[in-house]
Amino acid sequence: MSSEQTPAPETPAPETSDAPAAGERPRRLVYAAALAALEGIALVVAGGYVLVLGLTGAGDDRQQAVTGGITLLVLALLPLLAARGLWLTRRWSRGPAVITQILALPVAYNLLQADSIAIGAGIALAVVSVAALVLLVNPATTRALGITGPGRAE
C-alpha cells in the first residue's frame, strides 16, 4: 500500500482547560449527586419510621401510616436513582434530579408554615434544594453530562 492509501493517524483534539478530563467528575457534579443521595436517604429514613409506626400501631391511623411510609419509600427511589446516575455521569440523570429539587421546594414551603420543629427541616430542605438546583444547571455540570443547549450540536 502506498502512503496515499493509508489514512493518516488522527490526532486527538486538544482539551480545553475548563473541560474535565475523561473519567474525571467536576466537583459540582459530585456535590449535586451527594445532595440528591442525601434527600433520598432522608426519605428512606422518614418512610421507614412512618412505616414502623404504622405497623406497630403507635400512630392514630394505622392504614394511613403504612400507606404514607410506603409512599415515602417509593418516592425515595427518584433522588437515589438520580444520585447514582449523576455519580456515573449519565446524561438522563439530570432530569430526575432537577424534578426532585423542584418538587422539594413546595414541601419546604409547607414545612416553613408549621409552628413546630418542622421549620428547621423546611429551612434545611429549601437550602439543599436550591443548592442542588444551582449545581445541576451549572455549565461545568452540563458539560460533564454531555448536555448541550438548544441548537448546539457537538
Side-chain angles (χ1 to χ4, degrees):
M1 281 177 76
S2 70
S3 63
E4 293 175 7
Q5 294 175 338
T6 307
E10 293 184 23
T11 57
E15 290 187 29
T16 59
S17 61
D18 59 346
E24 183 181 328
R25 287 179 211 91
R27 282 184 303 177
R28 291 177 178 100
L29 185 60
V30 172
Y31 297 154
L35 290 176
L38 177 68
E39 288 173 330
I41 291 168
L43 282 170
V44 167
V45 169
Y49 178 74
V50 171
L51 184 61
V52 167
L53 284 179
L55 292 175
T56 59
D60 294 335
D61 187 0
R62 181 178 183 185
Q63 183 179 4
Q64 185 178 4
V66 170
T67 302
I70 291 172
T71 301
L72 288 174
L73 291 173
V74 171
L75 285 174
L77 291 176
L78 185 64
L80 290 174
L81 289 173
R84 184 176 188 274
L86 290 170
W87 181 256
L88 298 174
T89 62
R90 302 288 192 251
R91 178 186 291 199
W92 60 263
S93 62
R94 183 172 166 230
V98 169
I99 289 169
T100 299
Q101 306 317 317
I102 291 171
L103 290 175
L105 290 173
V107 174
Y109 179 77
N110 282 335
L111 290 172
L112 289 170
Q113 302 304 310
D115 290 331
S116 66
I117 195 164
I119 294 174
I123 292 170
L125 182 57
V127 168
V128 167
S129 296
V130 170
L133 277 171
V134 168
L135 292 169
L136 288 167
V137 298
N138 187 280
T141 303
T142 56
R143 270 193 308 275
L145 294 172
I147 298 171
T148 59
R152 295 182 188 155
E154 287 186 9

